[in-house]
Amino acid sequence: MTMRFTNVALIGKYQSPDVAESVLLIARYLRERGLEVWIEQGTASSIGQAEGFPVAAYEEIAAKCDLAVVVGGDGTMLTTARRLAERSVPLVGVNLGRLGFLTDIARKDALLRLGEILDGSFREESRFMLDAEVLRGGQRVFHTLALNDVVVNKGDLGRMIEFDLSIDGEFVYTQRSDGMIISTPTGSTAYALSANGPILHPSVGGIALVPLCPHALTARPVTLPDSCCIEIELLPPHDARVHFDGQARFDARAGDRVRLTRSPLAVRLLHPKSYSYFAMLREKLHWSAAPRHN
């Protein structure tokens, strides 16, 4: 299916000294190609100038734009994905960050690769999200989406927390630990990876449960089908902090239940035709690198 782009939004990393030059360079290039270009409101404020380009809030971008170019790092992409997921706006990432698992186009190649994508030469990929809610006394007190992960942890406490884990209504275990990471395949190369979780290929329909410093040595990461309903209930007297993609946060109380399911919404990522998931892993994780010698 051929995809036609007419209205393109530019979303940049906030408070970044590098972002203004890149955003305006890309904006001018897109305008030269005859496209209507919008700059996201916070990005326009951050760069201090918009050169006459229309400025739009996320809600307007979701309604009007058929492509969003994210200039920054994975954090910027996560924010954008969560804000635009409901309208399935395709996303392209230009990397100004450190790792760039989601923003895969190098800044030096940005115009070339964007030109290819606009000409119809790209790979489209769908990434599923988690629907996350916190229940208190059976009533929902918090709800959001997560593309990477949901993390239940001890917050500022110096001691472990204790919680019950249930899958599809079946009790699995009670765990004492610093917490739990519930990760999508997208998030498997983020925080979950540093906690010895598995790397899940983006096409795998799985959700990884990765314990954080469990008290029992037998508590291991587990990968579940993405059709599961996962529930974590905090046991008294333990409160906890729940993080969603490292961006939203909720302070949960003892007795609260965190419920996670696969969201019906998905994030659409457009990659250059040359994109390879395994080449990206080789580069970012330094696979096959020669040993370092003193």
Side-chain angles (χ1 to χ4, degrees), residues 60-76:
E60 295 176 272
I61 291 171
K64 296 177 180 177
C65 294
D66 39 43
L67 180 68
V69 179
V70 179
V71 183
D74 288 347
T76 313

Side-chain angles (χ1 to χ4, degrees), residues 111-259:
L111 301 188
L112 173 64
R113 300 305 177 205
L114 285 172
E116 293 172 354
I117 289 171
L118 294 171
D119 290 337
S121 180
F122 59 82
R123 299 172 182 266
E124 181 172 349
E125 187 178 35
S126 178
R127 300 286 185 97
F128 79 80
M129 308 181 80
L130 293 175
D131 189 274
E133 58 182 349
V134 181
L135 305 175
R136 179 174 296 160
Q139 300 297 313
R140 179 197 282 181
V141 292
F142 188 82
H143 176 246
T144 191
L145 295 171
L147 174 58
N148 255 4
D149 50 36
V150 175
V151 180
V152 180
N153 69 20
K154 62 183 182 178
D156 296 331
L157 298 174
R159 63 177 186 273
M160 291 184 288
I161 57 175
E162 192 168 1
F163 54 85
D164 285 346
L165 170 70
S166 298
I167 308 296
D168 291 334
E170 179 182 351
F171 172 76
V172 177
Y173 57 56
T174 298
Q175 183 178 110
R176 285 176 57 80
S177 67
D178 284 356
M180 178 77 81
I181 304 170
I182 304 94
S183 172
T184 66
T186 300
S188 69
T189 50
Y191 189 16
L193 183 63
S194 67
N196 293 317
I199 294 177
L200 304 180
H201 189 278
S203 64
V204 170
I207 299 172
L209 302 184
V210 184
L212 286 169
C213 303
H215 191 253
L217 297 179
T218 53
R220 311 302 301 167
V222 177
T223 302
L224 302 170
D226 61 5
S227 58
C228 286
C229 174
I230 300 161
E231 293 187 321
I232 291 176
E233 181 177 356
L234 294 171
L235 299 179
H238 304 283
D239 296 338
R241 189 164 288 163
V242 191
H243 299 266
F244 308 87
D245 282 344
Q247 297 182 340
R249 190 186 90 184
F250 183 82
D251 290 324
R253 302 176 189 167
D256 285 358
R257 185 181 292 262
V258 182
R259 179 180 293 165

